[in-house]
Amino acid sequence: MKKLVSSLVMATLLFSGISVVAAADTGADSTVTHSKAEKKEENRAKLNTKAAKWGVETTDQTNQEVKAAIQEAKAAKKAENAEKKAAKEAKKQEQLAKLNDKAVKLGADTAGKTAKEVKAAIKEAKIAKKAENAEKKAAKEAKKQEQLENLKEKAAKWGIDTAGKSAKEIKVEIETKKAEKKENKK
């Protein structure tokens, strides 16, 4: 029984293999003839897709004309991108020149620095200038206080009350007392 089943399986495999091979031989000739037409259609479809992407009209045009139009569109886009890049670079240089001017006004060195480095140098220079201005302001305030103390000492010698009075008011009172003393001497 085993021999009978295995013989049937072998026969089935043998005949099915032959039919597949025979079918493949006959179908190959028909695919070759259809293949050229299909390939031409596929190429045109791909070309139409590319043309649509680049905004090129394909109606009543040959494949060569469409390809040429696509190349022109690509070249135009490339030129447009080059112009944009040049404009961007010019703007960048203009901004760098402005930054350099600011840096020079603040006394920062900009030689061989990028825009970011120049901005950082400007920031540092501004911070240093603020610190310098704060120092000057503190020194000026200290000098004012010293002058006020001197005025208060003079006012005390002349017997003038200085509570709640400004430096100008104290000066006026001192001058008035001096003028009165001169009048009294005469």
Side-chain angles (χ1 to χ4, degrees):
M1 176 116 163
K2 285 184 180 178
K3 287 184 180 182
L4 181 65
V5 173
S6 56
S7 301
L8 285 173
V9 170
M10 291 299 271
T12 310
L13 288 174
L14 182 65
F15 290 118
S16 66
I18 293 172
S19 64
V20 171
V21 171
D25 286 342
T26 57
D29 294 335
S30 63
T31 24
V32 170
T33 56
H34 291 294
S35 176
K36 286 183 182 178
E38 287 175 357
K39 191 167 186 170
K40 191 173 184 180
E41 286 179 29
E42 285 178 16
N43 286 342
R44 183 60 182 202
K46 286 180 184 178
L47 200 57
N48 286 343
T49 305
K50 267 189 182 178
K53 177 183 174 185
W54 289 99
V56 174
E57 181 62 36
T58 61
T59 311
D60 298 331
Q61 290 187 353
T62 66
N63 287 355
Q64 269 50 8
E65 291 171 334
V66 172
K67 285 179 183 178
I70 290 172
Q71 291 302 322
E72 287 176 16
K74 284 182 180 180
K77 183 71 172 177
K78 205 176 210 181
E80 182 183 326
N81 288 343
E83 285 178 21
K84 285 181 182 178
K85 190 174 182 180
K88 191 175 181 179
E89 185 61 31
K91 187 175 181 180
K92 203 176 187 182
Q93 290 301 320
E94 183 181 322
Q95 288 175 337
L96 183 60
K98 285 180 182 179
L99 285 173
N100 283 337
D101 290 344
K102 276 185 183 179
V104 168
K105 285 179 184 175
L106 292 170
D109 182 34
T110 62
K113 292 184 178 178
T114 65
K116 285 183 179 181
E117 292 170 337
V118 171
K119 283 181 183 180
I122 288 172
K123 247 184 192 178
E124 289 175 12
K126 282 182 178 180
I127 291 170
K129 188 157 185 119
K130 280 183 182 179
E132 183 182 321
N133 287 344
E135 238 177 66
K136 285 180 182 178
K137 191 173 182 179
K140 190 174 183 180
E141 189 60 36
K143 188 174 181 180
K144 257 186 178 179
Q145 288 300 322
E146 185 180 328
Q147 288 174 344
L148 184 61
E149 289 302 316
N150 288 341
L151 279 175
K152 285 182 179 181
E153 285 177 18
K154 282 184 182 179
K157 286 180 185 176
W158 288 95
I160 299 171
D161 183 29
T162 59
K165 295 181 182 175
S166 69
K168 287 184 181 181
E169 292 171 337
I170 296 172
K171 279 183 182 178
V172 169
E173 285 191 31
I174 291 173
E175 292 300 320
T176 306
K177 287 281 187 177
K178 282 183 180 179
E180 284 176 8
K181 187 175 180 182
K182 278 187 181 180
E183 276 298 314
N184 291 338
K185 282 187 178 180
K186 288 185 183 181

